[in-house]
Amino acid sequence: MSTVPPVTDAWLVVPLYNEAAVIGDVVTRARERFPNVVCVDDGSADASAAAAERAGAVVVRHPFNLGQGAALQTGMRYVLEQTDAEYIVTFDADGQHQVEDAEAMVQLARRDDLAIVFGSRFLDARTRPGLAKRLVLRTAVWVTNQSTGLRLTDAHNGLRVIRRDAASKLDLRQNRMAHATEIVLNLGRTGLPWAEYPVHVLYTDYSKGKGQSLLNSVNILVDLVFN
């Protein structure tokens, strides 16, 4: 058992849509280090919300599916209005993100007085997205950097740490995949200090079976072009 105290000044915000098969384990593992987790059930048709609640998460529900951007906005609003947390950690529901990466990113934000820490799967060689996905993501990064003026290596990684003052300036209007670029644009405009941190995104059989590995990346490009 770890002797390091859990992270109590941060809340995990987890957008949740039809992940009943894995969300219980994801929340259980996350709460070993982050006791405070809010899942935003975005109109799931399965038992995702109940599984998240059994694992100890606070669950906020959308009556119908609005998209990941809307779920993140709801989750961040909950943390800002209902808690005194200093940091918000956006975290995926499908098991691809690593809790130890999230904790290290919060530690970096504290140590270096950073308002935003972006996770990047391209700062080391641990993540293996496959050639097609890598090419699509690299293209999305280029488009995002051109539109935001920032120079990120991985603009569409869902693992981020956002300090309260930065989160309070976010007003996401893009409900679906283009919200990732909108977050970068909004955060960049704050002028607050930021950094990237190398993270391991684990592409599991489960996520690949749902078609998330490449399809989400293509959806990012479609939303970037048409939104």
Side-chain angles (χ1 to χ4, degrees):
M1 182 177 294
S2 174
T3 59
V4 180
V7 182
T8 57
D9 60 346
W11 274 69
L12 261 58
V13 171
V14 184
L16 180 58
Y17 181 63
N18 292 342
E19 302 284 4
V22 297
I23 188 59
D25 287 341
V26 169
V27 171
T28 296
R29 288 198 303 271
R31 293 189 67 240
E32 292 175 1
R33 302 304 308 143
F34 291 87
N36 301 311
V37 178
V38 57
C39 292
V40 180
D41 182 51
D42 191 32
S44 293
D46 63 7
S48 291
E53 285 183 327
R54 283 196 301 270
V58 173
V59 175
V60 178
R61 291 174 172 85
H62 287 168
F64 48 83
N65 180 247
L66 295 174
Q68 192 177 68
L72 283 173
Q73 185 69 49
T74 296
M76 288 189 287
R77 184 179 297 118
Y78 174 88
V79 175
L80 291 173
E81 294 179 356
Q82 302 297 324
T83 84
D84 60 356
E86 182 66 9
Y87 300 99
I88 290 171
V89 182
T90 64
F91 198 86
D92 285 356
D94 58 8
Q96 292 188 347
H97 291 159
Q98 312 305 307
V99 177
E100 56 267 30
D101 287 337
E103 185 171 11
M105 290 165 67
V106 172
Q107 292 171 349
L108 176 63
R110 290 197 204 108
R111 187 191 72 205
D112 292 354
D113 195 23
L114 299 171
I116 311 111
V117 180
F118 297 100
S120 174
R121 75 200 97 181
F122 298 124
L123 287 177
D124 62 27
R126 289 177 295 166
T127 301
R128 300 182 181 276
L131 179 60
K133 184 176 178 69
R134 182 180 293 272
L135 289 174
V136 172
L137 288 172
R138 290 292 194 186
T139 303
V141 168
W142 183 84
V143 173
T144 299
N145 286 346
Q146 293 301 307
S147 61
T148 65
L150 298 181
R151 289 295 176 263
L152 300 177
T153 62
D154 187 2
H156 290 264
N157 192 320
L159 182 54
R160 316 172 189 87
V161 171
I162 307 172
R163 200 170 62 196
R164 173 176 282 270
D165 55 341
S168 67
K169 299 179 186 299
L170 284 173
D171 182 19
L172 302 182
R173 303 300 177 90
Q174 295 288 348
N175 284 348
R176 300 204 177 268
M177 297 308 295
H179 76 273
T181 294
E182 189 179 25
I183 287 177
V184 175
L185 180 61
N186 281 203
L187 292 175
R189 285 174 174 168
T190 68
L192 293 168
W194 61 273
E196 287 188 294
Y197 184 86
V199 301
H200 180 201
V201 175
L202 181 63
Y203 296 111
T204 63
D205 290 340
Y206 170 79
S207 66
K208 291 177 181 177
K210 293 184 67 176
Q212 293 179 359
S213 180
L214 181 59
L215 181 59
N216 277 1
S217 302
V218 174
N219 287 340
I220 288 169
L221 288 185
V222 171
D223 277 357
L224 285 173
V225 171
F226 293 104
N227 288 279

